[in-house]
Amino acid sequence: MAAEYTACRRLSAIISHMQTRNLTPLDRLLSSANNALRTVAAPAGRPARPNPAQNITETELNPAQKRHAAGLMRVNHAGEVAAQALYQGHAAVARDKNIEAQMQRAADEEFDHLAWCEQRIHELGHEPSRLSPVWYAGAFAIGAASGALGDKWSLGFIAETERQVCDHLETHLQGLPTSDARSRAIVEQMRDEEQEHGENAVEAGAAELPRPLQGLMRATAKLMTKTAYWV
């Protein structure tokens, strides 16, 4: 883990330098590798923004409540791993530089979500999903493949994904223990920002995805959430 984290820090320095010039295909490859490393092979580290739960007092939860809350937050963390990969996959093949920049900004906010979820999982005495590399690889491939069809379809995929994520987060707000105010604060802010990401995609020209594809996305997400809750 230490070696991967060191590599991640070195690549971050490279990426910071790259931001001052036009990106070559090699630059994009290094950027994707950096994001993958910091997402799945190293601790999420310090988010750019404060944790929404930082000023909320921890409440007493029994072992069953902790286990359940940790399972739900592990699912949310897995979703954020996939979101990182999805946005990076789209950005890697985006044709419009403004859309690429929009997706990079969204990915930065999603990284805050990732860090907040990881912090909360650890507070509850549990660990994130051990299948994070699988979630990342699959979502990156989907993002790049849909993005290759054109920016409007890439944006359409983002918009539909965020709609489904918001629905999913609403069910978690209903399922979390009522007394778990710290987890609830994180999920509420995530929901609001995911909704904004979806609306931004629509405003940028997202195409509506065919209903069969929407259904396939829901089925895939259901498989991931059921697995990540336990593993």
Side-chain angles (χ1 to χ4, degrees):
M1 182 69 72
E4 288 88 345
Y5 185 68
T6 300
C8 176
R9 292 294 297 274
R10 289 174 179 170
L11 279 171
S12 293
I14 294 172
I15 301 307
S16 296
H17 172 68
M18 283 165 24
Q19 290 174 344
T20 64
R21 58 188 178 85
N22 292 329
L23 298 182
T24 66
L26 178 59
D27 293 335
R28 292 176 184 274
L29 177 62
L30 286 171
S31 179
S32 296
N34 172 69
N35 188 271
L37 277 173
R38 74 171 186 163
T39 302
V40 305
R46 181 177 298 176
R49 296 174 295 158
N51 190 317
Q54 67 176 3
N55 295 322
I56 299 176
T57 303
E58 184 70 83
T59 53
E60 186 71 25
L61 299 174
N62 63 44
Q65 288 175 320
K66 280 189 175 183
R67 186 167 56 252
H68 180 56
L72 294 180
M73 296 306 290
R74 184 161 49 245
V75 169
N76 293 334
H77 182 274
E80 294 305 326
V81 169
Q84 279 293 307
L86 184 66
Y87 275 106
Q88 292 297 328
H90 286 309
V93 297
R95 294 167 173 79
D96 187 314
K97 294 297 182 183
N98 292 326
I99 291 177
E100 179 182 359
Q102 175 182 328
M103 291 188 179
Q104 291 290 355
R105 287 193 297 273
D108 289 342
E109 287 193 355
E110 301 284 1
F111 190 77
D112 286 344
H113 299 175
L114 182 80
W116 297 339
C117 288
E118 184 175 304
Q119 290 170 5
R120 186 56 184 154
I121 292 168
H122 288 155
E123 288 173 356
L124 292 165
H126 291 261
E127 295 293 329
S129 173
R130 295 191 293 274
L131 298 177
S132 288
V134 176
W135 312 137
Y136 191 97
F140 187 92
I142 292 171
S146 62
L149 298 175
D151 287 340
K152 71 174 186 177
W153 293 108
S154 179
L155 290 165
F157 198 94
I158 293 288
E160 180 59 29
T161 297
E162 298 294 18
R163 275 194 291 269
Q164 294 188 19
V165 167
C166 287
D167 291 343
H168 157 81
L169 292 175
E170 283 289 353
T171 64
H172 277 199
L173 286 172
Q174 297 171 17
L176 282 167
T178 305
S179 58
D180 187 3
R182 290 178 65 84
S183 295
R184 298 178 70 84
I186 294 170
V187 174
E188 286 172 355
Q189 183 155 339
M190 288 171 58
R191 177 202 57 196
D192 294 344
E193 292 180 354
E194 303 292 3
Q195 182 176 352
E196 182 181 356
H197 295 166
E199 291 171 351
N200 289 342
V202 171
E203 291 174 3
E208 185 173 357
L209 300 185
R211 290 192 179 277
L213 181 54
Q214 294 177 22
L216 178 61
M217 291 168 62
R218 289 191 185 92
T220 302
K222 187 175 182 179
L223 174 63
M224 187 189 79
T225 56
K226 285 187 174 295
T227 304
Y229 182 89
W230 298 106
V231 182

